[in-house]
Amino acid sequence: MKNVFEFITNKRDYTLHFQNAEYTKNDFECFYSHEDVMGKEVEFLPGIFYKFELKRSVLLKNIVAVLCLYNGESQLIKLLPKILNEKFGKKIITIQFKNIRDSYSFFIDQEKVYGNEKKFQGKDEAKFQYEYEYVKEEPEYLEIPTERILFPCRTGGEGTRCSLKGVFREEGIFTTCTYENHYIFFDEYEMHCLTANSEEVRNICKMCNNCMKTIELMKEGRFIGPTKGNDSDCLTVGEYDGIYIIENGNHRACCAKAFGISLVKAKIHKYRRTEELRKEPEVIKGIDNQKVLDSFYRVFDGKGISRTVVNKYLETDGTDVGLIKLLKVI
C-alpha cells in the first residue's frame, strides 16, 4: 500500500485519526497557515509529513500580481488576492506517512485510504468483539494458566509500587490517555506487555523487592492463593470466553506472567458473551497537534537524540523495544 497521497483539496474532505484523536481538514490547513511555509514539507504529527502547493492559471497569477501592487487604503482590495487564490486557485496537498509505530487511519471523503496498526505483544489477545454480561453464580477457585491472563491495564501506586511504571514515568514515556495534547508512548497495558518479550525490561521489574518476593514464593510453591471462605492474597479474575481479565491482584498476576509462572490459583467470576457488538472507542476532537508533536520530541531532545535519528526509527523500526533502547532506558 502506498504511503504518499497527493490530491486537490478544494472540494475534497480528509481526516486523520491518530492514536485516540481526530484531526480534520481544517486542523491541517490552520496549522499550515500558521507556519507560513507554502510549498515546504511540514511535520504535522510524529512521522507524518505534508505540504501545500497553490496552482493558479496565468490569468489568475496576473490579476493577483496587479492587486498585490496596490498600496491604497481599501481593505477589500488588499484582501482580494487571498480571496481569489482561495476561490480559483487549486490547493494541492501531498501527505506522506513515515510512521510504522503508531495506530492511525487516513480518510479521504470518508473512505479509509491508508492506515497503520501498532504491533505489540498481547494486542490481539485484548481484542473483544462483543459485549459481556456478568453471570450470577458462585465464583470458582481454580488454577489457571497465566498465558490466558491479560496483563493489567491499571495498577496502583503511581510508580511507587511498580518499578517499571516508576522508570517509564521518570523517562516521560508513560502517559495515560487522560493526558490531552500529549503523545502516548505507552499505555499501561502496552508497558506491561513489554515484559513478555524483553529480558532487559524484566530487569527493571527485579528492582522491586515486593514483586521479587512474590515471584520467589510462587516459584517455591509457597504462595497462598485464594480458597473459598479465605480470600486473603486473593487474585481475582473475570473469565471472558477463556480469557481472564484481572479484577484484583494486578501486581501478582503481572509477576507470574512476566517471570514464567505457568499456573496460578485464582478466584474466578464468569461473564457471558452477548450478541451486542462492542462499540469502538470514540476519538477525541480538538487536540492540538503541535502540542502532541512537541511532547513527542521533548523526550528525545532531553537526551540529545536528533530528529533525523528519531524519524529513521519511526520509519524503519517502530517497535516498543527499539524505542526504549533508543532512549537508553535499558
Side-chain angles (χ1 to χ4, degrees), residues 58-98:
V58 174
L59 177 60
L60 180 58
K61 285 181 181 178
N62 290 335
I63 293 173
V64 170
V66 171
L67 290 170
C68 288
L69 294 174
Y70 179 78
N71 293 317
E73 296 296 326
S74 172
Q75 292 299 316
L76 176 60
I77 294 180
K78 289 181 179 180
L79 288 172
L80 271 177
K82 182 177 180 180
I83 295 171
L84 290 171
N85 282 331
E86 289 286 339
K87 184 70 175 177
F88 300 105
K90 290 182 179 179
K91 191 181 292 182
I92 298 174
I93 184 174
T94 303
I95 183 164
Q96 186 169 14
F97 299 96
K98 301 179 182 179

Side-chain angles (χ1 to χ4, degrees), residues 4 45 78 116 126-127 162 165 181 190 196 198 208 210 253 256 280 293:
V4 181
L45 286 164
K78 289 181 179 180
N116 187 70
K127 285 184 176 179
C162 173
K165 186 191 289 189
N181 294 324
E190 294 168 350
S198 172
C208 179
N210 288 337
E280 290 291 328
L293 191 67

Side-chain angles (χ1 to χ4, degrees), residues 77-218:
I77 294 180
K78 289 181 179 180
L79 288 172
L80 271 177
K82 182 177 180 180
I83 295 171
L84 290 171
N85 282 331
E86 289 286 339
K87 184 70 175 177
F88 300 105
K90 290 182 179 179
K91 191 181 292 182
I92 298 174
I93 184 174
T94 303
I95 183 164
Q96 186 169 14
F97 299 96
K98 301 179 182 179
N99 179 335
I100 62 172
R101 177 175 200 270
D102 295 300
S103 293
Y104 55 87
S105 301
F106 184 59
F107 303 85
I108 299 177
D109 293 333
Q110 299 183 331
E111 178 186 354
K112 183 177 177 179
V113 296
Y114 189 78
N116 187 70
E117 286 290 327
K118 183 176 182 180
K119 301 174 181 63
F120 63 89
Q121 186 83 16
K123 178 178 180 178
D124 292 335
E125 297 170 357
K127 285 184 176 179
F128 288 91
Q129 186 177 1
Y130 294 91
E131 295 287 352
Y132 287 78
E133 61 185 8
Y134 177 63
V135 178
K136 295 181 180 179
E137 60 182 37
E138 285 294 313
E140 295 182 312
Y141 294 82
L142 300 171
E143 279 194 323
I144 59 174
T146 55
E147 65 180 13
R148 286 162 55 189
I149 303 174
L150 296 185
F151 274 104
C153 295
R154 182 175 296 175
T155 58
E158 295 300 316
T160 58
R161 293 170 56 199
C162 173
S163 295
L164 189 61
K165 186 191 289 189
V167 170
F168 275 43
R169 189 184 294 279
E170 186 176 337
E171 293 286 339
I173 57 175
F174 174 69
T175 311
T176 69
C177 60
T178 58
Y179 290 4
E180 293 184 0
N181 294 324
H182 279 71
Y183 176 84
I184 301 173
F185 285 93
F186 294 93
D187 63 25
E188 186 153 355
Y189 178 70
E190 294 168 350
M191 180 186 70
H192 290 303
C193 283
L194 264 176
T195 61
N197 63 342
S198 172
E199 181 63 34
E200 295 94 338
V201 174
R202 286 193 289 274
N203 287 337
I204 297 175
C205 298
K206 291 176 182 177
M207 295 163 53
C208 179
N209 291 330
N210 288 337
C211 289
M212 295 315 298
K213 183 65 175 177
T214 299
I215 293 163
E216 180 184 341
L217 291 173
M218 286 180 170

Side-chain angles (χ1 to χ4, degrees), residues 61 183 242 271 275 309 318 321:
K61 285 181 181 178
Y183 176 84
Y271 291 81
E275 295 304 314
V309 171
V321 173

